[in-house]
Amino acid sequence: MDAAQEAQNREAFRHAVVNTLERRLFYIPSFKIYRGVAGLYDYGPPGCAVKSNVLAFWRQHFVLEESMLEVDCPCVTPEVVLKASGHVDKFTDLMVKDEKTGTCYRADHLLKDYCKDKLEKDPNLSADKAAELRHVLAVLDDLSSEELGAKIKGYGIMAPDTKNSLSDPYPFNLMFHTSIGPSGVSPGYMRPETAQGIFVNFKDLYYYNGNKLPFAAAQIGQAFRNEISPRQGLLRVREFTLAEIEHFVDPDDKSHPKFSEVSTLEFLMFPREDQVSGRAARRIPIGESVAAGIVNNETLGYFIGRVYLFLTQLGIDKDRLRFRQHLANEMAHYAADCWDAEIECSYGWIECVGIADRSAYDLRAHTDKSGVPLVAHEKFAEPREVEKLIITPVKKELGLAFKGNQKMVVEALEAMGEKEAMELKATLEAKGEAEFRVCTLDKDVTIKTNMVSISKEKKKEHQRVFTPSVIEPSFGIGRIIYCLYEHSFYTRPSRDGDEQLNVFGFLPIVAPIKCTVFPLVQNQQYEEVAKRIARSLTAVGITYKIDITGTSIGKRYARTDELGVPLAITVDSTTSVTIRERDSKQQIRVNVDEVASVVKEFTDSVSTWGDVLWRYPTHSS
Amino acid sequence: MDAAQEAQNREAFRHAVVNTLERRLFYIPSFKIYRGVAGLYDYGPPGCAVKSNVLAFWRQHFVLEESMLEVDCPCVTPEVVLKASGHVDKFTDLMVKDEKTGTCYRADHLLKDYCKDKLEKDPNLSADKAAELRHVLAVLDDLSSEELGAKIKGYGIMAPDTKNSLSDPYPFNLMFHTSIGPSGVSPGYMRPETAQGIFVNFKDLYYYNGNKLPFAAAQIGQAFRNEISPRQGLLRVREFTLAEIEHFVDPDDKSHPKFSEVSTLEFLMFPREDQVSGRAARRIPIGESVAAGIVNNETLGYFIGRVYLFLTQLGIDKDRLRFRQHLANEMAHYAADCWDAEIECSYGWIECVGIADRSAYDLRAHTDKSGVPLVAHEKFAEPREVEKLIITPVKKELGLAFKGNQKMVVEALEAMGEKEAMELKATLEAKGEAEFRVCTLDKDVTIKTNMVSISKEKKKEHQRVFTPSVIEPSFGIGRIIYCLYEHSFYTRPSRDGDEQLNVFGFLPIVAPIKCTVFPLVQNQQYEEVAKRIARSLTAVGITYKIDITGTSIGKRYARTDELGVPLAITVDSTTSVTIRERDSKQQIRVNVDEVASVVKEFTDSVSTWGDVLWRYPTHSS
């Protein structure tokens, strides 16, 4: 199959999935009667149930299993917090404007579209030009505002809707801006992530945890990004649910006590080197990845393993899930290592979970801005002797030498790290003087032996004070759900073979409705049995849909398959009923009184369908 | 006890509760390290767990029990939606500004504080003046902007912080404003309630429900109100979780099939008449309230009963819960009836749930604004003969008589309701002409017999098209949780009697952590048993806290009581353990292998402590 055909098949598949999702109200474009708003979607009844199931499983799998401290912070966030985190200054995309109409576009999108379009559709494209465009696509994310602007001008790219010329690119902050309180002097934003709410609470959470590391805090909540021009349907939206974990750990000890529980798991890993050298992702046991130093540390590896289990237990196809390491240019300068769980769907490989070792960056940033030390303490069992660097500038001599610049030189000397100081000491001892860089003066000065004394002294310390590192798995719940839809969807011919029927093959844990109940024919006796069963299902907390319309059984099955309902209960007698499993279409006969418990053990995943099938007589219709 | 003493006790009680809540991280003032933001709070770990338990029970009690259609819509809302709902124009509070510093205050708060202060603290207040101030307090909510301003000026009220003079009151819109997309031309707001997301989806939801009424949709989510100056701690906040139900019903039939299940419930009702005539709230069975017409209809009554069950099953004291009917001046003009579930706490009686019959208002408003008819259909089994009003203006005659105003007169004639039209017809037949009001001309015109023909014709109709009424129970989750804290809190003397210990007597369904596990003494064997028990608890989905510090058992009990943990498991042998119930302090001995199932049946409320106590040997320490 060639690339064009494959792309077409993917489009057709996506069309079928999205069409079913929208028709059955898994989601609804928000404010549809007012022609909607790009990038905003509602979860309709089945979508809302799927989301609630995914979140409940997330809580069970992560929060409960690891005794995480769950918190719930507001979306409205004062500016100071997002100044400290860097979002006010750096959370931007580059934008260009149609110079006549003012319509806004993402600069990189326009360039990307241009290159792809040329490559796919221009038969006269020279080999050189094609290579150039491919290169542009490869480095697209690294281009500066000026470079992007030059390419757009250079290729003569115009506004797609009007063919008007475009402005130079400029940064647009992606946060929704608002104002807190009536005075108009307290700017605020709708949070772009939930993580900051955890960081600013570090001190209290550390105390709550008995002043012990490691521990993790978690938060599920809404986050907001005012996208310039949202594309890719449900994958790029302006408001979404994040589930984030911040695991705080001693930077000197990133081992994990439960790592052995995941170390033999084997799945697709896509390390940085393999990407750069053009190799494909390959299956590596996570234990091996950590041992080989491909993954930076055990705790990061542990979470990669847990994320793999989470996603596959929800029903994500393990062959279409890979963990891709960030390239050097993708990763924030402070990050120690970063991996994305990417899921393949009709849009390509989509980042659904980011798992990053963000080192001490976030806690340090808030410590600096707030003045409140967000640090941990390690009390030593007995005092320890430590070597301390002592730098004593001789102010008199420095004053004589540098006059008005004395203060800057003193500060620069005091700010030296251990390595730099010991090198300076060695040079002074060897040569009597040394060139020394003073950044605040933007020049080198000459330091002589009598101007500073540098030594190491032994001191007794009772504790160590340090900023913890944070390892952050961050889940885009909406993206995971969308990929789950694609991975669960299939079609099969109807009984007459005259049409293709849609099925969502959801696992019971995800299914929005666990079973349907319908009387085979419309009569009062059967309806009463159906209602009795419905009550018993409610009592054990199982969601069901009751259908007492006179529609044919075949049609009713087709309807419930399209909603991904695992079991259908047909009331065809007053004492026992038929239970049909969605994927196998096998049927068993079960006494009315046992129905709720059979459904519950299957949908709670206590029994498989195989287990149940074995215990009850099968039914052939 | 006099009023002052009572107020003081209330303050002291609140202080004890809030102090415990904050110290144990049930909640945390948001962004505390940056000195916080008024009206924003985080739920810390135990608070977050309580919230999640309350919401899970809400889903079980309402959504699952009534097969409601749950949806999940974005917080970011375009202006047009909130124009239609009336929020852009009317969701305001009156504000005054310190004329020098610009500090903002709620006008009614300042007037209220002034009156209360005078009444409580001015010994020279005349009886007349006191009566006047009491009257002001009584009508406070009804005062117009001008009246409020006149009182503030009249009493010489100054800015409380600076004693500067104050501006005239003016309306401040309480919605957080933002802008959607990069262009700056699409204003939006953070939703002030979740209900609008349901109303705009009515058409799709009605279809999803098989085009049948009644049905209910539900939504849990964040809502936002940019309060002028938040007071009352956790009760008046700028961001909060709402859980709302919109039950759509035929306006001609507001009966409810399950009303008989609640009709004998008896609880404190506070009808409008009793409030006006100064009587106290009294216990009335809800069946009787509906039968006597105190509550407008069965569906409204059904929800009042279900709300009563919900709140009391969570642990709200039934003697401190009342349903208060809105007074005529409190109720929106379109509402058919409205009741608030009010819970008494240290702040007084607090509105926690509103239960309103909003008639067809919301669906009509969105129909008008969007042009999409949000209506329901009742298909008749056989066509029905109905009388239709036919109004035919005779345009030629009207043109001669009214010239340029003809169009307005024609429209006004066509817009007549049945009653008005039949009256006009009668007058024309009797007198040959009639005075007729044309609102668009703002005057009466004379209509003669030859200018319009009015008749009733019989027509066959196959269906009835109508706008459903909506009955809306709306839950302020944060307020319910705060009242639950107050109703659950008590103190008892420590064993030595030297201090008072705090206890949150949460029911198992609400308790943030279901049990604690601790080894009696620090040794490896006991620790391993504790970990084995912990794993078995996780497997059955029970939240626990494990405490392996060497702290005394008494201290550890005190700590867990303060978190409202119902059961404490002490590992004091390798085969069996002690389980202690929080409120009775009774202890039983249970085999290690049975612990998880005993804890589960108690915390799932399958068994009471009494049931469990009976089956296991008691343990005396």
Side-chain angles (χ1 to χ4, degrees), chain A residues 363-438:
Chain A
L363 293 182
R364 284 224 179 100
H366 286 296
T367 298
D368 290 350
K369 191 85 179 174
S370 69
V372 176
L374 303 177
V375 292
H377 304 262
E378 185 199 0
K379 290 224 161 56
F380 299 140
E382 4 201 290
R384 286 191 198 167
E385 203 157 76
V386 289
E387 274 199 333
K388 277 266 173 184
L389 177 70
I390 311 283
I391 300 173
T392 318
V394 182
K395 293 195 181 161
K396 193 181 144 206
E397 298 295 333
L398 291 165
L400 287 170
F402 302 113
K403 309 275 176 346
N405 290 337
Q406 183 220 28
K407 188 164 165 279
M408 272 79 97
V409 179
V410 167
E411 282 172 1
L413 286 168
E414 285 175 343
M416 280 187 294
E418 177 159 335
K419 188 162 163 272
E420 195 188 357
M422 295 322 285
E423 280 169 10
L424 180 65
K425 182 182 166 76
T427 313
L428 289 176
E429 279 165 8
K431 305 187 181 165
E433 61 175 51
E435 290 302 283
F436 178 70
R437 182 83 190 160
V438 181

Side-chain angles (χ1 to χ4, degrees), chain B residues 433-489:
Chain B
E433 62 176 52
E435 290 303 282
F436 177 70
R437 182 82 191 161
V438 182
C439 293
T440 47
L441 296 175
D442 199 23
K443 67 173 184 187
D444 285 358
V445 299
T446 305
I447 298 292
K448 299 199 173 137
T449 317
N450 62 349
M451 294 178 185
V452 62
S453 96
I454 297 168
S455 63
K456 277 193 172 174
E457 281 182 20
K458 297 207 167 160
K459 265 186 74 174
K460 292 230 167 186
E461 290 209 333
H462 298 263
Q463 65 171 3
R464 187 180 137 234
V465 179
F466 60 95
T467 304
S469 281
V470 58
I471 295 185
E472 175 189 88
S474 171
F475 299 71
I477 297 299
R479 289 184 166 193
I480 293 171
I481 290 174
Y482 179 76
C483 291
L484 209 46
Y485 289 151
E486 282 207 6
H487 288 203
S488 306
F489 185 81

Side-chain angles (χ1 to χ4, degrees), chain A residues 283-303:
Chain A
R283 281 177 212 290
I284 316 176
I286 186 68
E288 210 176 296
S289 296
V290 171
I294 299 171
V295 168
N296 184 279
N297 59 69
E298 260 191 14
T299 299
L300 197 59
Y302 177 72
F303 278 111

Side-chain angles (χ1 to χ4, degrees), chain B residues 292-540:
Chain B
I294 299 172
V295 168
N296 184 280
N297 58 72
E298 261 191 13
T299 298
L300 197 60
Y302 177 72
F303 279 111
I304 290 176
R306 293 289 297 169
V307 168
Y308 170 79
L309 290 174
F310 173 71
L311 293 173
T312 51
Q313 284 172 18
L314 276 180
I316 291 294
D317 180 352
K318 67 177 171 36
D319 296 326
R320 302 176 72 194
L321 165 64
R322 71 181 184 196
F323 290 84
R324 189 181 71 79
Q325 192 172 29
H326 276 203
L327 297 174
N329 62 10
E330 284 178 277
M331 209 160 64
H333 64 91
Y334 49 78
D337 196 5
C338 190
W339 293 77
D340 285 343
E342 294 186 331
I343 303 175
E344 198 193 21
C345 73
S346 66
Y347 291 103
W349 287 94
I350 299 297
E351 172 201 346
C352 291
V353 186
I355 309 148
D357 181 336
R358 301 175 54 85
S359 77
Y361 177 77
D362 307 280
L363 293 182
R364 285 226 178 99
H366 287 295
T367 298
D368 290 350
K369 190 86 180 174
S370 69
V372 176
L374 303 178
V375 293
H377 303 262
E378 185 198 1
K379 291 223 160 55
F380 300 141
E382 12 200 285
R384 285 189 199 168
E385 199 157 77
V386 289
E387 276 199 335
K388 275 265 173 184
L389 177 71
I390 312 282
I391 301 173
T392 317
V394 183
K395 293 195 180 161
K396 192 182 141 202
E397 299 294 334
L398 291 164
L400 287 171
F402 303 113
K403 307 275 176 344
N405 290 338
Q406 184 222 28
K407 189 165 163 276
M408 271 81 98
V409 179
V410 167
E411 283 171 1
L413 286 168
E414 285 175 344
M416 280 187 294
E418 177 158 335
K419 188 162 164 272
E420 195 189 358
M422 295 320 286
E423 280 170 9
L424 179 64
K425 182 182 165 78
T427 313
L428 289 175
E429 280 166 7
K431 305 186 181 165
E433 62 176 52
E435 290 303 282
F436 177 70
R437 182 82 191 161
V438 182
C439 293
T440 47
L441 296 175
D442 199 23
K443 67 173 184 187
D444 285 358
V445 299
T446 305
I447 298 292
K448 299 199 173 137
T449 317
N450 62 349
M451 294 178 185
V452 62
S453 96
I454 297 168
S455 63
K456 277 193 172 174
E457 281 182 20
K458 297 207 167 160
K459 265 186 74 174
K460 292 230 167 186
E461 290 209 333
H462 298 263
Q463 65 171 3
R464 187 180 137 234
V465 179
F466 60 95
T467 304
S469 281
V470 58
I471 295 185
E472 175 189 88
S474 171
F475 299 71
I477 297 299
R479 289 184 166 193
I480 293 171
I481 290 174
Y482 179 76
C483 291
L484 209 46
Y485 289 151
E486 282 207 6
H487 288 203
S488 306
F489 185 81
Y490 64 93
T491 58
R492 59 185 174 199
S494 63
R495 188 183 281 216
D496 316 336
D498 56 348
E499 56 174 334
Q500 285 291 310
L501 301 175
N502 303 315
V503 185
F504 277 113
F506 296 129
L507 296 179
I509 199 179
V510 165
I513 297 168
K514 305 307 178 195
C515 64
T516 44
V517 186
F518 32 72
L520 182 63
V521 290
Q522 279 183 303
N523 78 39
Q524 210 191 330
Q525 274 189 317
Y526 286 4
E527 256 182 49
E528 258 157 38
V529 173
K531 281 182 186 163
R532 213 170 94 212
I533 291 173
R535 276 194 299 274
S536 67
L537 291 168
T538 298
V540 295

Side-chain angles (χ1 to χ4, degrees), chain A residues 234-284:
Chain A
L234 295 165
L235 292 179
R236 185 157 297 274
V237 292
R238 284 174 164 154
E239 182 176 336
F240 44 95
T241 302
L242 282 183
E244 297 193 294
I245 294 165
E246 310 298 328
H247 180 94
F248 298 101
V249 63
D250 185 336
D252 293 348
D253 177 12
K254 293 182 181 175
S255 66
H256 196 288
K258 287 161 79 183
F259 184 66
S260 62
E261 290 177 21
V262 301
S263 63
T264 56
L265 289 175
E266 192 177 312
F267 41 78
L268 285 175
M269 294 288 283
F270 201 15
R272 192 177 297 143
E273 283 71 40
D274 291 2
Q275 296 169 52
V276 171
S277 60
R279 282 193 293 265
R282 58 199 159 103
R283 281 177 212 290
I284 316 176

